[in-house]
Amino acid sequence: MIFLALVAQTVRISMPYLFASAGGVLSERSGLIGLGLEGYMLAGAFTAALGSYYGQNPWVGVIAGVGGGMALALLYALCSIRYKADQVVVGVAINLLAVGATRFFLRLVFRSSSNSPRVPGFSVVETGTGFLALAHNPLIWMGALSIPAVAWLLYRTPFGLRVRAVGEHPGAALSVGVPVPKVQWIAVALSGALAGLGGAYLALDQHQFSDQMTAGRGFIALAAVIFGRWDPVRVGFACLLFAAAETMEIRLQGTSQIPGQFVQMIPYLLTIVALAGVVGRAVPPAALGKSGD
Amino acid sequence: GATSPTIDPNAVNIGIVFDVGGRGDKSFNDAAYLGAERAEKELGVHVRFIEPGDGSDREAGLRILAAEGMKLVVGIGFIFTDDLNQLAREYPNTDFAGVDYSVATDSAGNPIPPPPNLAALKFREEEGSFLVGALAAMVGHSKKLGFIGGMNSPLIQKFQAGYAAGVHYVCPDCQVIAQYAGVTPDAFRNPGVGKELALAQYQQGVNVIFHASGSTGLGVFEAARQTDRLAIGVDADQYSEAPGHVLTSMVKGVDAAVFDAIKRVKDGTFKGGIYTFGLAQNGVRYVYDEHNRNLIPDSVHARLEQIRADIIAGKIKVPSTLGAAP
Amino acid sequence: MTGPAAGFAVRLTGIEKSFGPVRANRGASLAVAPGEIHALVGENGAGKSTLMRVLSGMYAPDAGTMEVDGRDVTGWSTAHAIAAGVGMVHQHFMLVPPLTVAENIVLGREITSHGQLDRAGAERAVAELCARTGLVVAPGRRVADLSVGEAQRVEILKTLYRGAKLLILDEPTAVLSPPEVDELWRVLARMRAGGDTIVLITHKLDEVMEISDAVTVMRHGETVGRVATRETSPAALARMMVGREVALAGAAPLPPAPAHTATSADRPALEVRELTVADPRKARAVDAVSFTLAPGEILGVAGVEGNGQTELVEAIAGLRPARAGAVLLDGRDVTRLTVHERGAAGLSHIPEDRQRRGLVLDYSIADNLVLGQQRLYTRRGALDGARIADNARRRIEQFDIRPGDPAAPARTLSGGNQQKIVVAREMGRDFSVLLAAQPTRGVDVGAIEFIHAQLRAARGAGKAILLVSADLTEILALSDRIAVMYGGRFAAVLPRAMATEEVLGAYMTGAAGQAA
Amino acid sequence: MNGRLRAQLEETILPPIVALLIAALVGDLLILVYGQSPAAVYRLLIQGTWGNAYGLGQVLYKTTTLTFTGLAVAIGLQAGLFNIGAESQLAAGGFAAGVVGAMLPAGIPSVVLLPLFIAAAAIGGGLVGGAAGALKAKWGAHEVITTIMLNFVVLALLNYLTVAHFKVFDTLHTADIRSGALPRLSAVVPAFHGSAANVVLVLALAAVAAAWWYLYRSRAGYELRAAGLQPGAAEYGGVKVSRVWWQAMLLSGAVAGIGGLNFVLGYKHYYEDSFASGMGFLGIAVALVGRNNPLGVFLAALLFATLSQGGLAVNAVVPKQMVEVLQAVVIIAVATSVPEVRRLLRGARRSAAT
Ligand SMILES: Nc1ncnc2c1ncn2[C@@H]1O[C@H](COP(=O)(O)OP(=O)(O)OP(=O)(O)O)[C@@H](O)[C@H]1O
Ligand SMILES: Nc1ncnc2c1ncn2[C@@H]1O[C@H](COP(=O)(O)OP(=O)(O)OP(=O)(O)O)[C@@H](O)[C@H]1O
Ligand SMILES: [Mg+2]
Ligand SMILES: [Mg+2]
């Protein structure tokens, strides 16, 4: 019973990570740094709440979340692919933009600096371990599938082969007629869509948007991408590992003698230790970050 | 200072600077906003709001308002304490009020009074928390009670201390699971974590959770809905966040206090000093109305009223720090 | 260039192409007859690669017209070029290292079934292609694991897979061993026999004479001439390329070594004992190699790339840890010393990869001219700008580095001039032993002549030189003794007099594989 | 030569102007969406910042912190390391200075104590940055992840230390610093009265000069930049790249840490939990817009400080969120227009030449 509840909690916590890092893998394998995942997710959360509010239907929210994440990702693509701006700079800016813009429109649309009104979501009432509620949330299924889907896309489709080639050696891809920018545009747009779904999950699970509700989850997702060495399956496990550490943190905090602050460090310390001891030197896609001049 | 197009020199102008979270947080800041809004309507005053960003913006916000010639400048949150103190000395002709202003003490432990033009509006959150703690223990049908705080800080620990004392008063062998969402101000706006903390507590057999965590608490209500359990709101009556699942709310009369301060300024009766709002002043209270009456048996309500009277009479000592709680 | 248009497979006229301020092609022309092997030669930076990239659709020309098979194709894309049967093998390989051979070959023209990649199908198709053309590589291997020769085969297979009838090869032989070069010539000859057309860029004029039917010479972005191969000579071509007489490598015999028997007897300048080096995949890249090098001696190390030469040189330089063995400089054990300490002890090093190792491309010429010696140009923690500028002025003049602006970033220089910076720096310092790895790779004849003269002069001044080169002509022209590296060991160490291309080639491929 | 100088000048000056124009345009749109007059809002923004001494003082105060965090990020980037941890390094530096200050008796002159405070802040921030650097140098742990994770860990630790050990009753700050606190700028220029600007600004300017000298004139800087641009070449040049990594992170953290003095020693005279909130992340933006050049960092810090203070000034008319959007737009516009304007300029020059 307890164990099942822990698993259910881990699965729930892992959702935004899975969505966003699946997107991160795609973007980074095509050579574009996924620094903006946090921003895509936040934008997706906001538009999802907006869509669900006006559509009075969570599915409208899901579609709007995809749109919101993708819109920001396309801006990133425009700057870094079309205009060859420094990816790190634009990525940082995308995150600031997402925070500012969601707040601005939150004020404009809902006259609040912190929350949207309650919007329709997918949740059901359940008093057991939480599995029933999981199974009834279609976004959970989509999140669980996002990693296998990206793995399939990368390793089993012509598009995936092109993504991998473009991220390693764009010149080589170009020389055989692969439209490099187009491949990158698509990969980035998909990454925005996936991260947007992660945001939609957060907003619809809470039945509302609140200011900066992603709270750094996009960065954790990026950490998972690096941790999993850009391989979708390993990245998926990294997400689950982070989520499990957070579950442990939640269960230990307040029930043990250790000050809460130290318990709250666990997931982060674990990441550092694992990174230093287990993963070692990670070799990114060779052309990662090099779309500029 | 700069003059803004919204200043009307003939009106009574009031300035308010919000805490982190700003307007629309459905608790603390909104309560202040409510009081100000009422004052605009009923007293015809003009109110201007500023939502500050980083640390130095708090003082800057107060200063911009003071320099613009506001009659009264209000800072919402204990974090404004030093800034208010400073400005009240610099602008002796402007009135100031600080919600949750924390009064310093001298080496002998006596409170140092604030400047004469500064009203410290303090609330005995621990008293209200004590009551909702007792209520939670009486209707919880479980030896485990939950508390979820936002950022770990002395103010929030005050809620926790009162709550735990209330629980233990009616149920000495009950256990309070107290958790915090984080260690930075972001912990007041992370409903995702609030929900997971609450779900974990409910799953461990907790039936009632009291939150003092700003927007993070919205996640707690969401968890209460999803698992069909109870949660207790904070600062304002949060019934509408999860109808049927809000046992009660520990209401802080921030709106009344702010309204009152504005009214005194308008009437010319404003005086500085320490104003403490406890159960006795009805400055903190628990909600008991048509929405939640069915959740609280009459006997429980009667006992609660008794405890309330005992606290007011001084028969029950309510701790305001964690060290004092068992 | 006045022949009938219909008679040419390729006709480029008045091609202009600039990169920022650099005009790489200024009205360049090229006419190639169908079914011929056409050589394109010229100094570094003459614009050969650029012209061919324009032809293959990678760059759009700023001006000029392009015709292929009589059709106007000005400014087409790589996709169009490929569709029309134009394929290019680039100077720097255009392969994706982590992908397999088959994946690299089908990239952009994938074989699918039900929308999915058909891996087995792709490998089958590649295997068939290998069998048909005689260019054999295992389709399932990762390109990162291939030798340079194999990688080149993959490059050619890539173009053939796309049905190339016009094959452009940019310096294909720079990194190949003689047997591999012979194999390449056979493949090209077979293609020519089958009616295909080939354009070949090379700096090796003997190759031009051996394989081509016609030659186009470029200089400073312009075409200076087109001649039939049988009507010209290497000397004539070299003259056209640089506009003056050139001493070709191997033309001047090496003078006898200055009194080197006397000094080498008591103390070698460099001694390597049982040196073993691990490569990143934990294999033994260098396997217990021992040799000595006397002052005033050049020891040439020949070998196909990837047989441990890189690791050997870097271990001696201190850039890689030795797993076992010792390195002695002038009798002093330096095995545990840092790169900097070895430099101070008299070791100088021209690295094989100037773009990655030898230069900080974004630093100015002046700053690059002190790289590795920055401590000598420091006063109380600060760099001594005046002395650095002075050093730059002298080196730029002495080695004729162009452009001569010390503040210009190294990145903006042509490959040959970048190499001159490295050579100027390493030969301008105080040293007793020089490690010269591929000192003239991809460098044009004029610059080769210059660098070779420098090496000879250093030898004459009693310096010891370890010369690692994939270019046998160079090895044969400069070395007193020649070692052949194969599989991490010295397969043979021969005196110059006993070494011929045939003998060395046999050792290089392991055919005469007796460990020394 | 002269032409190249002119070209360089054009390429440096034009892109930021284009970027600011783009940002202003976006700002107009947002203001109009909010139903206000752009001209009035911009007037208010300028008035509230450069238009009066108090506003200018506030701008200078914010510039000071941002200069330090911006320099910290820039030093890391010059060594090829992306330090996302300036936030917690700043906090740790401030904390160290605050705790040291709280323990000092009254009456010791500032001149004596300043080096002590600088050292404490530098050690506080340097420990955090150096930890990330060491993790990278020793085990190859990617600094982007470790600095993000260390942010969480260090802020939690500081929160624990403050709440459990060092706080003054009922607050989230440490006890007042009784000696060594630095004067406000209003002590010299009375017009600055009330603004938080203080003498640490001078320290920031000194740091800009020192960083410039270090990066572009010292041997250590030559080696650090080489390691950042091309690690292989640096190694070849006798530089121990892994040592440069941890040293650069140590230095980066120390610089961020010293930034903590602006709040702790110059403004409030105590350490307050979460005073650093947001300043580290904005430091990334400052470094990037300043293109990692110390002088550029200072100018970018001025720009972002102006926007930040301006946001407060226009808060009554439009939400301050508008300014947050503008900050992001400025970064994007600068990042995008630099390469693009340069390309356009070169194209124009070439067609003029032929
Ligand atoms: N992508 C590029 N960007 C900028 N300049 C370039 C680029 N490609 C080539 N150039 C410049 O154009 C000129 C011609 O270069 P190109 O590579 O065509 O010469 P090349 O004849 O192939 O020389 P090499 O014999 O060294 O291969 C050189 O000055 C080179 O620096
Ligand atoms: N930003 C730039 N500005 C000017 N020239 C550049 C720039 N980037 C690259 N180049 C030049 O482009 C060339 C790349 O072309 P290519 O690959 O044909 O090399 P190359 O000139 O032939 O040199 P090598 O003979 O050493 O291979 C480099 O040699 C370099 O001089
Ligand atoms: Mg070339
Ligand atoms: Mg070349």
Side-chain angles (χ1 to χ4, degrees):
Chain A
M1 185 75 177
I2 276 284
F3 177 73
L4 288 179
L6 291 182
V7 172
Q9 183 154 38
T10 303
V11 169
R12 286 194 304 268
I13 293 177
S14 70
M15 278 305 132
Y17 301 156
L18 288 173
F19 277 120
S21 63
V25 168
L26 261 184
S27 172
E28 298 225 328
R29 286 302 282 265
S30 81
L32 283 122
I33 299 174
L35 211 56
L37 288 176
E38 172 81 4
Y40 310 157
M41 217 189 324
L42 189 62
F46 180 73
T47 51
L50 207 64
S52 185
Y53 180 77
Y54 283 110
Q56 280 304 306
N57 179 337
W59 285 107
V60 179
V62 170
I63 292 163
V66 168
M70 212 194 262
L72 221 51
L74 289 176
L75 177 63
Y76 175 64
L78 181 73
C79 296
S80 51
I81 301 171
R82 164 66 182 82
Y83 288 107
K84 301 191 188 306
D86 187 301
Q87 293 180 17
V88 172
V89 185
V90 181
V92 168
I94 288 282
N95 291 331
L96 288 175
L97 181 67
V99 173
T102 52
R103 281 182 178 168
F104 182 83
F105 289 108
L106 190 64
R107 268 291 286 267
L108 194 67
V109 180
F110 297 120
R111 313 207 56 70
S112 162
S113 295
S114 57
N115 302 295
S116 77
R118 189 176 166 82
V119 303
F122 291 111
S123 53
V124 295
V125 172
E126 175 189 27
T127 49
T129 52
F131 270 100
L132 188 69
L134 284 188
H136 273 84
N137 189 341
L139 279 173
I140 296 269
W141 294 103
M142 291 166 74
L145 280 176
S146 62
I147 288 281
V150 166
W152 176 81
L153 194 65
L154 265 185
Y155 294 123
R156 292 291 149 99
T157 68
F159 174 72
L161 178 64
R162 292 172 184 205
V163 167
R164 286 182 286 144
V166 165
E168 289 289 340
H169 197 330
L174 191 67
S175 73
V176 292
V178 172
V180 173
K182 192 170 142 197
V183 170
Q184 291 178 323
W185 271 89
I186 295 173
V188 169
L190 284 177
S191 87
L194 280 164
L197 276 175
Y201 170 82
L202 278 173
L204 296 180
D205 188 47
Q206 293 301 333
H207 291 269
Q208 68 182 319
F209 173 82
S210 43
D211 178 32
Q212 286 194 59
M213 74 186 306
T214 45
R217 287 178 178 85
F219 290 109
I220 303 273
L222 183 61
V225 171
I226 299 173
F227 202 87
R229 297 184 175 195
W230 295 272
D231 173 66
V233 176
R234 265 187 287 194
V235 168
F237 280 112
C239 291
L240 291 175
L241 181 76
F242 287 158
E246 269 177 59
T247 303
M248 186 166 91
E249 184 256 297
I250 283 172
R251 297 287 166 152
L252 284 181
Q253 203 213 125
T255 52
S256 71
Q257 292 305 307
I258 315 164
Q261 292 96 336
F262 290 94
V263 181
Q264 283 171 334
M265 291 177 196
I266 291 174
Y268 311 111
L269 283 176
L270 192 79
T271 308
I272 293 174
V273 170
L275 202 61
V278 185
V279 180
R281 280 161 220 278
V283 184
L288 183 60
K290 303 207 175 106
S291 65
D293 278 353
Chain B
T3 48
S4 118
T6 59
I7 284 281
D8 176 356
N10 301 319
V12 175
N13 291 298
I14 310 290
I16 293 184
V17 186
F18 284 120
D19 197 356
V20 188
R23 205 196 310 178
D25 68 348
K26 302 185 181 172
S27 78
F28 193 63
N29 290 302
D30 271 1
Y33 178 69
L34 222 65
E37 207 176 36
R38 197 175 128 214
E40 277 198 316
K41 247 185 246 136
E42 293 179 17
L43 309 174
V45 299
H46 279 221
V47 185
R48 273 195 48 193
F49 304 96
I50 287 188
E51 297 175 293
D54 64 275
S56 69
D57 282 355
R58 293 195 304 263
E59 183 191 336
L62 296 172
R63 192 177 285 276
I64 287 172
L65 293 172
E68 279 176 6
M70 299 284 155
K71 282 268 184 309
L72 171 72
V73 178
V74 190
I76 311 295
F78 76 94
I79 201 132
F80 284 92
T81 299
D82 291 314
D83 305 311
L84 281 167
N85 198 318
Q86 165 110 23
L87 281 173
R89 287 167 212 279
E90 274 184 45
Y91 290 89
N93 299 322
T94 304
D95 290 328
F96 291 88
V99 172
D100 282 350
Y101 182 95
S102 78
V103 180
T105 50
D106 61 20
S107 46
N110 302 312
I112 303 170
N117 56 333
L118 168 55
L121 312 177
K122 291 188 62 68
F123 295 84
R124 292 228 166 92
E125 293 89 355
E126 69 277 14
E127 292 185 352
S129 302
F130 188 97
L131 279 184
V132 298
L135 173 61
M138 285 189 281
V139 304
H141 303 295
S142 165
K143 293 272 179 226
K144 289 181 180 166
L145 286 309
F147 174 83
I148 291 174
M151 177 184 175
N152 200 336
S153 56
L155 179 72
I156 303 302
Q157 288 178 359
K158 206 155 125 186
F159 287 84
Q160 185 193 338
Y163 178 73
V167 167
H168 293 128
Y169 180 76
V170 299
C171 172
D173 60 340
C174 276
Q175 183 199 356
V176 174
I177 300 177
Q179 298 185 294
Y180 284 84
V183 293
T184 60
D186 288 343
F188 286 112
R189 49 173 177 234
N190 197 340
V193 163
K195 184 171 178 183
E196 286 304 331
L197 284 168
L199 284 175
Q201 291 192 359
Y202 288 135
Q203 207 279 319
Q204 289 169 71
V206 166
N207 285 330
V208 186
I209 297 174
F210 176 39
H211 92 89
S213 60
S215 296
T216 299
L218 302 176
V220 177
F221 291 119
E222 211 39 62
R225 278 180 193 254
Q226 195 171 314
T227 55
D228 197 21
R229 310 282 173 96
L230 295 172
I232 298 174
V234 77
D235 292 341
D237 182 358
Q238 295 193 300
Y239 172 79
S240 59
E241 292 309 318
H245 300 281
V246 180
L247 174 59
T248 181
S249 294
M250 199 292 278
V251 175
K252 244 167 104 167
V254 175
D255 49 347
V258 168
F259 178 82
D260 188 56
I262 296 175
K263 187 166 188 311
R264 281 165 197 272
V265 168
K266 172 127 205 257
D267 301 344
T269 57
F270 184 90
K271 266 208 353 244
I274 303 170
Y275 295 84
T276 306
F277 302 92
L279 287 175
Q281 296 79 17
N282 213 18
V284 293
R285 60 188 176 87
Y286 68 96
V287 175
Y288 180 71
D289 59 15
E290 71 278 8
H291 293 312
N292 64 348
R293 201 161 285 151
N294 56 331
L295 293 171
I296 305 175
D298 287 344
S299 62
V300 171
H301 182 234
R303 173 133 192 240
L304 217 50
E305 283 301 307
Q306 183 57 47
I307 297 173
R308 182 167 175 268
D310 287 349
I311 295 174
I312 292 171
K315 279 191 232 165
I316 298 176
K317 284 265 169 285
V318 179
S320 62
T321 56
L322 278 180
Chain C
M1 269 140 289
T2 44
F8 289 112
V10 175
R11 225 173 103 90
L12 305 177
T13 2
I15 299 294
E16 291 274 349
K17 179 70 194 170
S18 299
F19 301 101
V22 180
R23 284 178 72 196
N25 286 161
R26 8 186 138 194
S29 310
L30 178 71
V32 182
E36 75 173 357
I37 295 182
H38 191 104
L40 182 60
V41 299
E43 282 187 294
N44 288 126
K48 308 179 294 290
S49 298
T50 304
L51 189 64
M52 289 302 100
R53 285 179 191 172
V54 167
L55 175 57
S56 69
M58 278 189 91
Y59 297 152
D62 300 334
T65 57
M66 305 159 49
E67 279 170 40
V68 168
D69 293 333
R71 189 159 66 92
D72 181 18
V73 298
T74 307
W76 64 358
S77 68
T78 42
H80 286 121
I82 291 166
V86 175
M88 179 162 175
V89 174
H90 293 269
Q91 182 173 358
H92 306 289
F93 286 157
M94 290 288 187
L95 295 173
V96 187
L99 300 187
T100 65
V101 169
E103 284 176 324
N104 265 286
I105 290 175
V106 301
L107 178 64
R109 249 190 164 219
E110 297 83 358
I111 301 176
T112 58
S113 65
H114 311 295
Q116 291 201 44
L117 277 180
D118 181 359
R119 266 187 222 191
E123 294 193 359
R124 256 197 320 277
V126 171
E128 275 164 29
L129 191 64
C130 289
R132 203 169 66 229
T133 57
L135 290 158
V136 181
V137 261
R141 289 177 67 196
R142 269 167 29 107
V143 164
D145 300 331
L146 299 182
S147 73
V148 185
E150 288 171 316
Q152 176 125 59
R153 272 178 240 159
V154 178
E155 282 283 24
I156 298 173
L157 284 171
K158 256 169 70 179
T159 61
L160 298 181
Y161 172 76
R162 287 167 176 74
K165 300 201 181 329
L166 172 67
L167 184 61
I168 306 162
L169 296 153
D170 194 349
E171 296 191 36
T173 59
V175 293
L176 297 185
S177 67
E180 285 170 327
V181 172
D182 288 341
E183 186 205 287
L184 178 65
W185 292 163
R186 274 197 300 279
V187 171
L188 295 188
R190 190 151 6 123
M191 287 181 68
R192 171 170 55 186
D196 296 339
T197 309
I198 290 148
V199 180
L200 176 73
I201 301 180
T202 179
H203 287 295
K204 297 176 186 168
L205 299 182
D206 49 343
E207 290 178 354
V208 174
M209 302 310 296
E210 185 183 341
I211 184 85
S212 73
D213 303 307
V215 190
T216 294
V217 181
M218 287 186 73
R219 186 165 75 221
H220 299 317
E222 290 170 289
T223 308
V224 291
R226 180 187 197 278
V227 288
T229 307
R230 58 187 139 57
E231 289 163 13
T232 187
S233 68
L237 287 174
R239 203 162 43 238
M240 281 170 83
M241 282 161 64
V242 294
R244 61 181 168 84
E245 287 298 333
V246 184
L248 295 175
L254 205 60
H260 95 248
T261 38
T263 35
S264 67
D266 35 33
R267 190 202 269 170
L270 174 70
E271 183 175 358
V272 171
R273 287 185 195 148
E274 301 281 311
L275 187 67
T276 298
V277 184
D279 85 348
R281 271 166 283 150
K282 302 289 175 223
R284 288 183 162 207
V286 177
D287 191 0
V289 167
S290 301
F291 65 90
T292 60
L293 184 56
E297 183 187 29
I298 298 182
L299 172 61
V301 178
V304 177
E305 257 188 69
N307 276 288
Q309 300 97 313
T310 306
E311 292 80 2
L312 174 67
V313 170
E314 296 202 339
I316 298 173
L319 288 162
R320 269 170 205 267
R323 191 199 269 173
V327 177
L328 286 80
L329 262 182
D330 290 324
R332 178 174 162 215
D333 188 344
V334 298
T335 318
R336 303 262 155 268
L337 298 192
T338 63
V339 173
H340 169 72
E341 287 160 342
R342 291 179 206 217
L347 187 66
S348 195
H349 175 199
I350 298 170
E352 64 172 31
D353 186 345
R354 57 179 171 262
Q355 300 249 334
R356 198 174 65 84
R357 278 261 193 237
L359 295 167
V360 179
L361 289 172
D362 288 306
Y363 274 9
S364 65
I365 295 177
D367 280 348
N368 269 300
L369 280 168
V370 299
L371 182 67
Q373 298 154 57
Q374 62 270 24
R375 287 177 217 218
L376 302 177
Y377 289 86
T378 305
R379 260 181 49 210
R380 277 185 253 108
L383 290 176
D384 189 337
R387 276 177 54 221
I388 291 174
D390 185 53
N391 174 64
R393 250 193 315 279
R394 278 187 295 122
R395 298 276 171 261
I396 287 170
E397 197 197 298
Q398 199 180 341
F399 286 78
D400 189 27
I401 296 166
R402 289 185 219 174
D405 175 8
R411 183 182 291 288
T412 57
L413 270 61
S414 79
N417 277 298
Q418 289 178 346
Q419 184 68 353
K420 281 187 187 172
I421 300 179
V422 178
V423 172
R425 179 182 68 214
E426 296 307 314
M427 302 198 58
R429 71 194 284 181
D430 212 11
F431 70 97
S432 55
V433 175
L434 172 67
L435 308 174
Q438 321 287 1
T440 60
R441 168 177 296 171
V443 165
D444 65 59
V445 275
I448 292 175
E449 176 196 25
F450 180 79
I451 293 170
H452 283 184
Q454 293 290 325
L455 290 173
R456 284 205 184 91
R459 172 178 174 271
K463 314 287 189 190
I465 298 171
L466 184 71
L467 171 70
V468 177
S469 176
D471 182 350
L472 279 187
T473 324
E474 178 166 83
I475 295 268
L476 289 168
L478 293 176
S479 310
D480 295 298
R481 287 185 297 148
I482 297 167
V484 182
M485 229 178 153
Y486 181 75
R489 309 176 132 248
F490 277 3
V493 183
L494 310 166
R496 166 67 184 89
M498 283 178 60
T500 61
E501 290 217 11
E502 291 67 40
V503 173
L504 295 177
Y507 281 109
M508 283 166 78
T509 48
Q514 285 303 7
Chain D
M1 199 62 220
N2 204 2
R4 205 171 98 187
L5 213 68
R6 217 192 84 197
Q8 245 174 17
L9 210 67
E10 277 177 4
E11 288 181 11
T12 330
I13 293 177
L14 268 182
I17 293 178
V18 172
L20 284 179
L21 284 179
I22 294 172
L25 215 71
V26 174
D28 285 356
L29 258 164
L30 293 179
I31 295 167
L32 287 173
V33 163
Y34 214 75
Q36 299 282 349
S37 136
V41 172
Y42 285 130
R43 200 175 315 121
L44 211 59
L45 191 145
I46 298 296
Q47 260 173 28
T49 52
W50 294 76
N52 70 85
Y54 170 72
L56 183 60
Q58 286 299 104
V59 169
L60 291 179
Y61 170 78
K62 285 165 185 259
T63 301
T64 306
T65 306
L66 288 178
T67 300
F68 279 107
T69 53
L71 283 179
V73 177
I75 288 170
L77 284 174
Q78 292 260 19
L81 301 170
F82 192 20
N83 177 9
I84 306 195
E87 188 104 0
S88 59
Q89 291 149 15
L90 175 67
F95 179 80
V99 167
V100 166
M103 294 191 296
L104 291 171
I108 314 175
S110 300
V111 202
V112 182
L113 288 180
L114 188 60
L116 175 71
F117 279 113
I118 292 178
I123 290 170
L127 278 178
V128 181
L135 283 165
K136 165 118 185 167
K138 242 188 139 45
W139 291 291
H142 200 297
E143 79 282 356
V144 168
I145 309 184
T146 54
T147 50
I148 289 175
M149 299 296 149
L150 279 172
N151 273 343
F152 291 107
V153 172
V154 169
L155 293 177
L157 182 69
L158 295 181
N159 177 258
Y160 168 76
L161 291 173
T162 311
V163 172
H165 296 292
F166 291 104
K167 70 162 193 288
V168 174
F169 174 73
D170 230 19
T171 69
L172 268 180
H173 58 74
T174 57
D176 276 2
I177 294 172
R178 275 166 298 175
S179 19
L182 292 173
R184 300 255 179 115
L185 285 191
S186 51
V188 190
V189 186
F192 281 139
H193 174 78
S195 86
N198 60 74
V199 171
V200 179
L201 175 65
V202 180
L203 221 54
L205 291 172
V208 167
W212 186 85
W213 181 87
Y214 177 81
L215 286 172
Y216 297 112
R217 284 292 174 267
S218 79
R219 172 164 64 81
Y222 176 93
E223 297 185 341
L224 180 142
R225 287 185 298 127
L229 290 166
Q230 266 170 259
E235 211 180 309
Y236 162 85
V239 179
K240 285 252 173 68
V241 174
S242 59
R243 185 191 297 166
V244 168
W245 279 342
W246 74 256
Q247 283 175 348
M249 282 304 288
L250 188 79
L251 185 64
S252 173
V255 170
I258 296 172
L261 295 180
N262 190 37
F263 181 92
V264 172
L265 205 58
Y267 175 36
K268 287 286 183 177
H269 305 163
Y270 52 66
Y271 166 82
E272 185 172 75
D273 205 36
S274 74
F275 83 88
S277 190
M279 289 293 113
F281 281 106
L282 218 46
I284 298 173
V286 166
L288 297 172
V289 171
R291 315 191 72 205
N292 301 330
N293 180 311
L295 261 168
V297 164
F298 181 72
L299 293 178
L302 266 180
L303 174 65
F304 280 91
T306 303
L307 283 175
S308 165
Q309 179 64 20
L312 208 60
V314 302
N315 196 197
V317 194
V318 289
K320 73 162 193 291
Q321 288 81 358
M322 189 206 88
V323 173
E324 293 173 352
V325 175
L326 279 193
Q327 288 184 336
V329 172
V330 168
I331 302 173
I332 292 176
V334 168
T336 308
S337 62
V338 168
E340 186 64 16
V341 171
R342 188 161 299 173
R343 259 192 298 278
L344 291 176
L345 276 173
R346 287 186 183 159
R349 243 177 253 137
R350 207 169 41 236
S351 52
T354 51

